[in-house]
């Protein structure tokens, strides 16, 4: 096997996450709220509920509903993002909900809804992952019964290395091939349940071997406990 | 939670005695805090906290063809979103009239006060001008979003910088100059809320729920003082005397607020030199 | 039903539910746990509310304070939506009427119904609004919880339509502190602020006094209690807080004795 040659632009080790910061209780009106950041990526989440689900025909007498809304603030990205939902944000909202739902005891709350609102204030890649980390904290902060926490990180293949917590620069990594710049980064956002280490979100775009994906999942599982540590410490810091 | 009729009655009784739920006088603003650099991707950004009301304004720049009637002037766009993140009273979906009104009041204050020198936002007359987008996001709603939103917008505008341009005058996104916006003044909005027969300013949500009318007055304070935008809203009609009373008090309180914001902005800009 | 719950229901005979245990003691030196956190290992302990057993380990299922008592491990919530229980005294407002009763908003996601049969006095069935109208505030008790919703009753002493005063809302998880051991905190608050206070277990609290300033003083004290992270030595802190506030607000309290309407 040839030695790996790619180096991360910010000098991080391959399994090293950016500095993480977290805080709860930032939206006073909400039942629970939190902020989570990976370096320059900052997401906030607010949880309302369980509350009555209206109109009534949407209600499910067997279990509650979890709704997630992910959005980028217009000024969170370099070129202004037009406010309001897009196809991208709708899909991320959807997969975020599915990443969180496995841990939530929705059968405790028939006919109700739990709403999770995620707003990215500053984006430097891995926004959906920061959003999921904030949302899991906000859900716990809102006193929602959960089997375990959800942690999320974006794993990337950059050149010939697999790295944790991609930045925008790394996402845009290219190599020169036959005199042409060619995209050489693959983004693999993964959510790992904190205790069972099961995977509740897995997306990939780019180009990978099966081995690469296996390695990525293993790396996500490995760094999950570090993320969970930050979530736990912030939750325990009760004002 | 909806404000109960019982609590509303108490708010009115208190007001009769010139008192409020939280010990403030009827013409006192809550404590003001402003944080900057909410996003390093924005040309400018500010988080304004008025008590538990928190509003973020973020500025992004774009380049566009000028409008035909003002070929050598930049363009301003103000948007506001009452996201359900900030209160269980707000709903998902297309912008409601409340958020449109909020954005329009703030837009008019900035536009009509000519606080931005729009001519200096011209790159090539008739071809290329700067467009300033001011987007407001409510983080937590506890009354008086108009005044808080305006403060966030002007604080962000007064601390924002231009992005860099390449040789073809295209924006190098993510790269900033140190050049600040051509700001000439800082318009301040003070909104008075009429509860029963009295007016108060900077209401908390419960007080706002009692109000039957409100009047926003947008002013610029300098050697001379001018009003640049007003908005009367609510179900009750007002007398001429009441409108005069509101203007007088807005002018008094607005000047104090202006001094406070100016000091915060100057301190921030000074630290960035 | 566990022991604590039984106690609660007995105590609900009175309007302000009393806590037998002292919340100040419970919270003292308590550890905060988060979902998925392992609390204990081994078979010496039993998983109680807010926890589950997973193999040898007892794991927390929610964010809250750890309570280990007689080998039973529980997590006491610090936040979250109100979870209604039979026997709870709650405060709410009328938001709708049917042909035979009222729908009451008690800040819970489930529908709450007060039947015309449950108000304990004559009701003109042709016009229910004579008895209770839209937006009226009531203090009622949860009689029953069924899959379609909550049944309320007002057929007990002290349960009634509330007049005058003001309402405040705190998180329902903070209600035990406001009540205090054997109702000690709420009694002290009433005494020291010259008010009547009715604490709904849904976190909605009614404060009434002749003078609105006394109500404001009580409101501040309750918010002070609700906002404290821990309540170590809380009674003393609240007394001190009230003294300072009274000086600030320049009010003296004429203690009002137990009123007839309340006892």
């Amino acid at each position: 096997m040839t030695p790996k040659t790619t180096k991360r632009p910010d000098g991080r080790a391959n399994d090293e996450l950016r500095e993480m910061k977290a805080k709860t209780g930032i939206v006073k009106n909400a039942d629970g709220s939190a902020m989570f950041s990976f370096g320059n990526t900052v997401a906030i989440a607010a949880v309302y509920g369980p509350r009555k689900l209206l109109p009534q025909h949407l209600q499910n007498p067997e279990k509650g509903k979890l709704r997630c809304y992910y959005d980028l603030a217009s000024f969170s990205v370099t070129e202004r993002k037009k406010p309001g939902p897009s196809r991208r944000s709708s899909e991320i909202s959807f997969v975020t909900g599915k990443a969180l739902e496995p841990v939530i005891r929705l059968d405790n709350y028939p006919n109700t809804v739990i709403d999770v609102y995620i707003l990215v204030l500053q984006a430097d890649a891995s926004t959906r992952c920061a959003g999921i980390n904030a949302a899991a904290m906000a859900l716990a902060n809102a006193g929602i019964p959960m089997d375990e926490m959800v942690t999320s990180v974006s794993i990337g293949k950059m050149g010939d290395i697999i790295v944790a917590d991609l930045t925008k620069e790394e996402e845009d990594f290219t190599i020169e091939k036959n005199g042409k710049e060619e995209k050489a980064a693959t983004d693999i956002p993964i959510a790992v349940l904190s205790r069972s280490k099961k995977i509740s979100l897995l997306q990939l775009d780019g180009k990978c071997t099966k081995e690469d994906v296996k390695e990525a999942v293993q790396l996500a599982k490995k760094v999950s406990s570090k993320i969970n540590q930050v979530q736990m410490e912030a939750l325990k810091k009760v004002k | 939670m909806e404000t109960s009729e019982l609590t509303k009655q108490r708010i009115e009784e208190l007001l009769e005695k010139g008192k409020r739920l939280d010990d403030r006088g009827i013409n006192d603003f809550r404590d003001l805090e402003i944080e900057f650099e909410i996003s390093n991707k924005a040309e400018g950004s500010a988080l304004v906290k008025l008590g538990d009301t928190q509003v973020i304004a973020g500025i992004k720049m774009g380049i566009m063809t000028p409008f035909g009637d003002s070929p050598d002037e930049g363009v301003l766009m103000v948007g506001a979103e009452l996201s359900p993140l900030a209160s269980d009273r707000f709903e998902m979906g297309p912008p409601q009239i409340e958020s449109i009104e909020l954005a329009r009041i703030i837009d008019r204050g900035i536009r009509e006060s000519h606080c931005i020198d729009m001519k200096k936002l011209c790159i090539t007359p008739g071809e290329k001008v700067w467009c300033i987008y001011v987007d407001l996001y409510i983080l937590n709603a506890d009354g008086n979003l108009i005044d808080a939103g305006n403060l966030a917008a002007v604080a962000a505008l007064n601390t924002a910088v231009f992005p860099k341009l390449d040789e073809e005058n295209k924006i190098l996104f993510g790269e900033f100059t140190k050049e600040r916006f051509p700001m000439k003044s800082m318009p301040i909005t003070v909104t008075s809320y009429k509860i029963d027969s009295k007016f108060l300013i900077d209401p908390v949500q419960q007080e706002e729920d009692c109000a039957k009318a409100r009047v926003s007055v947008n002013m610029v304070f300098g050697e001379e003082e001018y009003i640049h935008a007003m908005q009367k809203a609510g179900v009750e009609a007002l007398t001429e005397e009441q409108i005069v009373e509101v203007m007088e008090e807005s002018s008094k309180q607005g000047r104090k607020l202006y001094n406070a914001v100016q000091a915060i902005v100057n301190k921030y800009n000074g630290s960035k030199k | 039903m566990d022991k604590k719950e039984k106690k609660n229901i007995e105590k609900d005979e009175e309007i302000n539910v009393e806590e037998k245990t002292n919340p100040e003691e419970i919270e003292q030196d308590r550890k905060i746990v988060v979902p998925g956190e392992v609390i204990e290992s081994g078979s010496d302990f039993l998983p109680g509310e807010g926890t589950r057993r997973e193999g040898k380990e007892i794991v927390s299922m929610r964010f809250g304070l750890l309570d280990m008592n007689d080998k039973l491990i529980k997590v006491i919530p610090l936040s979250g939506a109100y979870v209604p229980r039979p026997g709870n005294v709650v405060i709410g407002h009328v938001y709708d009427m049917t042909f035979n009763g009222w729908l009451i908003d008690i800040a819970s996601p489930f529908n709450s119904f007060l039947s015309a049969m449950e108000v304990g006095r004559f009701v003109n069935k042709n016009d229910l609004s004579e008895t209770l109208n839209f937006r009226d505030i009531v203090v009622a008790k949860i009689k029953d919880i069924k899959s379609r919703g909550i049944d309320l009753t007002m057929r007990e002493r002290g349960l009634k339509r509330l007049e005058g005063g003001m309402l405040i809302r705190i998180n329902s998880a903070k209600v035990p502190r406001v009540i205090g051991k054997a109702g000690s905190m709420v009694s002290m608050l009433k005494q020291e602020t010259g008010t009547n206070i009715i604490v709904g277990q849904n976190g909605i609290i009614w404060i009434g006094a002749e003078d609105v300033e006394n109500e404001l003083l009580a409101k501040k004290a309750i918010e002070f209690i609700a906002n404290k992270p821990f309540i170590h030595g809380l009674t003393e802190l609240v007394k001190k807080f009230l003294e300072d506030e009274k000086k600030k607000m320049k009010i003296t309290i004429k203690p009002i004795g137990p009123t007839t309407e309340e006892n």
Side-chain angles (χ1 to χ4, degrees), chain B residues 150-223:
Chain B
N150 179 72
L151 286 174
V154 296
L157 282 168
N158 279 278
T159 51
V161 291
F162 281 96
K164 284 187 180 159
L165 292 175
D166 66 11
E167 303 89 45
E168 291 167 16
N169 283 337
K170 284 205 180 106
I171 299 178
L172 289 163
F173 281 109
E175 293 183 44
F176 298 110
T177 65
K178 287 200 159 189
E179 191 191 343
R180 297 208 181 276
F181 285 7
M183 303 302 295
K184 297 192 291 189
S185 60
M186 192 188 282
I188 296 292
T189 300
V190 177
T191 304
S192 300
Y193 290 76
K194 183 167 180 281
I195 298 176
D196 208 11
S197 61
K198 287 224 158 68
F199 285 92
L200 56 73
I201 61 167
D202 192 25
V204 295
Q205 187 67 59
Q206 288 187 326
E207 290 172 329
E208 201 171 301
D209 289 345
C210 300
K212 294 270 166 44
R214 67 167 143 81
V215 182
S216 301
V217 185
N218 176 282
M219 290 154 294
V220 166
F221 300 95
E223 278 168 29

Side-chain angles (χ1 to χ4, degrees), chain A:
Chain A
M1 209 173 170
T2 50
K4 311 270 180 180
T5 52
T6 317
K7 290 260 182 308
R8 304 189 76 171
D10 55 8
R12 275 186 289 158
N14 293 354
D15 64 350
E16 193 180 341
L17 305 170
R18 285 174 283 178
E19 188 195 1
M20 290 178 278
K21 282 187 190 149
K23 203 178 158 187
T24 59
I26 53 167
V27 178
K28 209 180 166 199
N29 284 340
D31 293 308
S33 60
M35 178 281 293
F36 187 94
S37 67
F38 280 125
N40 282 329
T41 294
V42 183
I44 58 171
V47 168
Y48 287 86
R51 57 186 173 183
K52 205 177 281 177
L53 180 57
L54 294 171
Q56 205 160 355
H57 72 263
L58 295 174
Q59 293 181 2
N60 179 347
E62 283 176 354
K63 66 177 209 164
K65 192 179 170 82
L66 178 74
R67 290 191 297 210
C68 274
Y69 303 91
Y70 160 100
D71 195 14
L72 287 172
S74 66
F75 52 83
S76 65
V77 284
T78 47
E79 188 169 356
R80 178 177 181 263
K81 186 221 152 244
K82 203 166 161 276
S86 61
R87 286 169 61 85
R88 173 182 180 273
S89 71
S90 298
E91 191 219 352
I92 295 177
S93 299
F94 180 76
V95 296
T96 297
K98 300 305 167 208
L100 296 165
E101 198 165 321
V103 304
I104 301 171
R105 294 278 173 123
L106 287 173
D107 44 352
N108 285 4
Y109 301 108
N111 299 322
T112 68
V113 62
I114 298 169
D115 284 314
V116 181
Y117 302 102
I118 297 166
L119 180 64
V120 175
L121 293 177
Q122 187 173 281
D124 183 10
S126 307
T127 59
R128 77 195 67 186
C129 300
I132 288 169
N133 292 333
M137 290 172 67
L139 284 162
N141 185 240
I144 310 275
M146 296 159 80
D147 287 329
E148 53 194 310
M149 288 293 282
V150 183
T151 66
S152 184
V153 64
S154 155
I155 305 294
K157 185 179 183 199
M158 195 175 73
D160 57 359
I161 55 172
I162 302 280
V163 296
D165 186 21
L166 281 183
T167 62
K168 186 79 180 70
E169 188 186 355
E170 290 174 329
E171 236 179 51
D172 297 338
F173 180 78
T174 53
I175 48 170
E176 215 183 282
K177 214 171 178 183
N178 308 328
K180 271 194 293 184
E181 288 283 305
E182 194 174 277
K183 190 178 177 232
T186 302
D187 181 22
I188 316 168
I190 300 175
V192 181
L193 308 188
S194 67
R195 189 174 150 72
S196 61
K197 302 284 182 207
K198 284 185 185 164
I199 310 301
S200 65
L201 170 93
L202 175 66
Q203 294 181 297
L204 183 152
D205 41 292
K207 185 182 169 190
C208 270
T209 64
K210 281 177 273 183
E211 281 309 309
D212 290 335
V213 176
K214 222 167 117 185
E215 200 182 320
V217 169
Q218 279 165 6
L219 182 53
K221 283 166 80 171
K222 182 181 158 195
V223 297
S224 159
S225 50
K226 286 185 190 156
I227 297 164
N228 188 226
Q229 195 62 37
V230 173
Q231 290 174 317
M232 276 172 58
E233 276 167 22
L235 278 164
K236 290 181 181 204
K237 232 180 252 163
V238 179
K239 264 187 295 189

